[in-house]
């Protein structure tokens, strides 16, 4: 067999090596199409024939390689984040990869917050959180891909800041990136030309370039997989319970010291020290919250995990990551959220401070942050 024969087949649209094993990873093509001349991957096929982008994912190392070439371009970077999982979906260190290119921060899933939300205050909260992560943004746009709220404002902002530049769209998985790409395709591109390809320097992974009418491109990068998000480790069948699809209904519990809250079998909050106070749980309505005494918490978990305390199921818990304990001290007179990436947050409402232990699967991001509401 010659060297030429063992080279992988590549997509005629974007140049990615083709494979027929996993439709959620780059280069997927049905087995029958592998035999065709000039075969294109599923993502290119859908863009070219249906003006539709589909999400594909890469791991963190591959994604960071992919970002490496953006700083040397003259582009607008559109970073999409999930408001429900803000700290979990914000690309850490993005600033050093984009160089001096402007960053437009698009915050999706605002429909999950109450209609009475103060949107100006929320924009300020987002800007402050981004700044604390070292990210400088030219603007923040709030939207809902699912409800088609604010997308005209997103397109308007891209028009304002693009100034005849290419547009790189970056984001984690499940943040609504493909919905935005599809809208940009319909607004900016006639798609009468063939897909073009341009490989980033220093990487074998290609992004899809969608040609615009003015000769520039939308560059659709694969979604980055962050293992610190609950949505990446939970069994796929439980995603509908984990990820909310309608406005959150906050659950407020008055707790005394030495009381515990379980959120399914996904997380546990132990209120160790502090005056009696309330904690407001903001998670999907598909999850059940149980309260018990701290002294009974271990026994309750052993007896009811995977059944009353679920998801995950008993069977899935056999291979689920073990819990790690995080001790958090909430300062007096401060509105803080206990943030658990991909699961939601618990707002602390006391004025005298508190000490809590949060148990969550190993590797899941748990932190205190300024309250979002």
């Amino acid at each position: 067999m010659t060297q030429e024969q063992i080279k992988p087949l590549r997509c005629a649209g974007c140049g990615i090596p083709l494979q027929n094993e996993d439709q959620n990873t780059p280069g997927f093509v049905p087995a029958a199409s592998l035999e065709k001349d000039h075969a294109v991957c599923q993502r290119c096929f859908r863009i070219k024939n249906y003006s539709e982008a589909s999400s594909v994912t890469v791991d963190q190392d591959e994604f960071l390689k992919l970002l490496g070439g953006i700083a040397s371009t003259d582009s607008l970077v559109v970073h999409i984040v999930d408001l429900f999982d803000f700290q979990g979906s914000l690309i850490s260190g993005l600033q050093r990869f984009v160089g001096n290119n402007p960053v437009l921060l698009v915050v999706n899933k605002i429909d999950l917050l109450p209609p009475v939300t103060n949107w100006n205050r929320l924009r300020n909260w987002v800007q402050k959180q981004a700044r604390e992560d070292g990210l400088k943004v030219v603007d923040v746009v709030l939207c809902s891909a699912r409800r088609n709220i604010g997308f005209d404002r997103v397109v308007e902002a891209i028009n304002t800041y693009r100034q005849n530049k290419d547009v790189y769209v970056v984001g984690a998985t499940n943040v609504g990136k493909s919905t935005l790409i599809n809208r940009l395709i319909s607004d900016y591109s006639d798609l009468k030309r063939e897909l073009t390809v341009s490989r980033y320097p220093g990487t074998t992974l290609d992004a899809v370039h969608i040609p615009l009418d003015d000769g520039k491109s939308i560059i659709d990068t694969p979604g980055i997989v962050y293992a610190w998000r609950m949505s990446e480790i939970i069994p796929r069948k439980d995603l509908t319970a984990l990820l909310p699809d309608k406005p959150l209904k906050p659950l407020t519990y008055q707790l005394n010291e030495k009381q515990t809250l379980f959120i399914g079998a996904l997380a546990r909050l132990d209120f160790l020290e502090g005056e009696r106070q309330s904690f407001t749980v903001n998670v999907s309505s598909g999850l059940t919250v149980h309260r018990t005494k701290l002294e009974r918490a271990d026994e309750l978990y052993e007896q009811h995990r995977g059944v009353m305390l679920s998801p995950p199921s008993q069977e899935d818990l056999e291979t689920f990551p073990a819990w790690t304990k995080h001790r958090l001290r909430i300062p007096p007179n401060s509105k803080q959220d206990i943030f658990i990436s991909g699961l939601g947050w618990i707002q602390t409402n006391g004025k005298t401070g508190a000490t809590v232990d949060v148990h969550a699967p190993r590797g899941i991001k748990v932190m205190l942050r300024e309250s979002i509401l």
Side-chain angles (χ1 to χ4, degrees), residues 235-366:
R236 187 170 292 272
K237 68 177 184 292
D238 294 325
L239 275 175
T240 52
L242 177 73
L243 301 177
D245 62 356
K246 49 193 171 187
L248 299 171
K249 294 182 178 177
L251 302 171
T252 299
Y253 295 86
Q254 294 287 340
L255 297 184
N256 296 314
E257 277 186 345
K258 306 297 190 288
Q259 285 192 297
T260 291
L261 295 177
F262 282 98
I263 303 173
L266 295 172
R268 162 182 160 180
L269 170 75
D270 297 337
F271 178 24
L272 300 180
E273 295 177 1
E275 294 182 3
R276 177 178 169 84
Q277 58 190 272
S278 67
F279 294 81
T280 301
V281 180
N282 292 273
V283 297
S284 167
S285 59
L287 300 175
T288 304
V289 181
H290 291 274
R291 173 167 47 182
T292 189
K293 293 180 179 179
L294 178 57
E295 64 190 32
R296 291 199 59 241
D298 290 342
E299 179 186 355
L300 183 77
Y301 183 72
E302 287 304 318
Q303 290 180 352
H304 297 288
R305 64 190 191 120
V307 185
M308 182 180 79
L309 300 178
S310 65
S313 66
Q314 283 182 317
E315 179 183 358
D316 290 327
L317 280 169
E318 297 301 319
T319 55
F320 207 61
W323 278 359
T324 297
K325 183 170 69 177
H326 307 260
R327 179 150 298 179
L328 303 175
R329 290 182 171 83
I330 299 141
N333 300 310
S334 67
K335 286 284 187 181
Q336 299 279 307
D337 289 340
I338 300 164
F339 171 78
I340 306 171
S341 182
L343 179 64
W345 66 91
I346 302 168
Q347 182 174 316
T348 65
N349 304 311
K351 294 183 178 180
T352 57
T355 301
V356 301
D357 279 345
V358 178
H359 305 253
R362 184 180 60 252
I364 295 299
K365 180 179 285 188
V366 175

Side-chain angles (χ1 to χ4, degrees), residues 168-203:
Y168 285 82
V169 183
V170 300
T173 55
N174 294 314
V175 296
K177 192 165 66 67
S178 60
T179 306
L180 175 63
I181 288 284
N182 292 335
R183 174 63 188 268
L184 295 179
I185 289 171
S186 68
D187 277 53
Y188 283 119
S189 177
D190 57 15
L191 281 175
K192 290 175 183 173
R193 286 164 288 178
E194 291 293 306
L195 289 175
T196 57
V197 58
S198 175
R199 184 172 301 172
Y200 292 100
T203 177

Side-chain angles (χ1 to χ4, degrees), residues 51-114:
S51 298
E52 214 176 89
S54 59
S55 292
V56 296
T57 62
V58 292
D59 65 25
Q60 191 171 345
D61 290 341
E62 283 291 332
F63 186 81
L64 295 180
K65 289 179 186 176
L66 187 62
L67 287 182
I70 295 182
S72 61
T73 69
D74 182 23
S75 310
L76 171 66
V77 178
V78 178
H79 180 14
I80 307 180
V81 295
D82 177 350
L83 183 61
F84 179 69
D85 189 19
F86 187 86
Q87 277 77 13
S89 60
L90 193 69
I91 297 176
S92 184
L94 179 63
Q95 193 68 51
R96 70 177 183 269
F97 293 104
V98 301
N100 294 320
N101 289 313
V103 177
L104 175 66
L105 191 59
V106 175
V107 182
N108 190 23
K109 304 189 184 179
I110 63 167
D111 57 298
L112 298 180
L113 296 188

Side-chain angles (χ1 to χ4, degrees), residues 121-135:
R121 183 192 177 281
L122 180 64
R123 275 173 50 88
N124 291 336
W125 181 91
V126 167
Q127 287 173 323
K128 183 178 179 183
Q129 299 296 314
R131 195 162 53 244
E132 288 178 357
D133 197 69
L135 182 61

Side-chain angles (χ1 to χ4, degrees), residues 158-172:
I158 290 173
N159 267 331
T160 299
Y161 298 109
R162 187 165 80 87
Q163 300 175 345
N164 201 37
K165 298 176 180 179
D166 290 332
V167 179
Y168 285 82
V169 183
V170 300

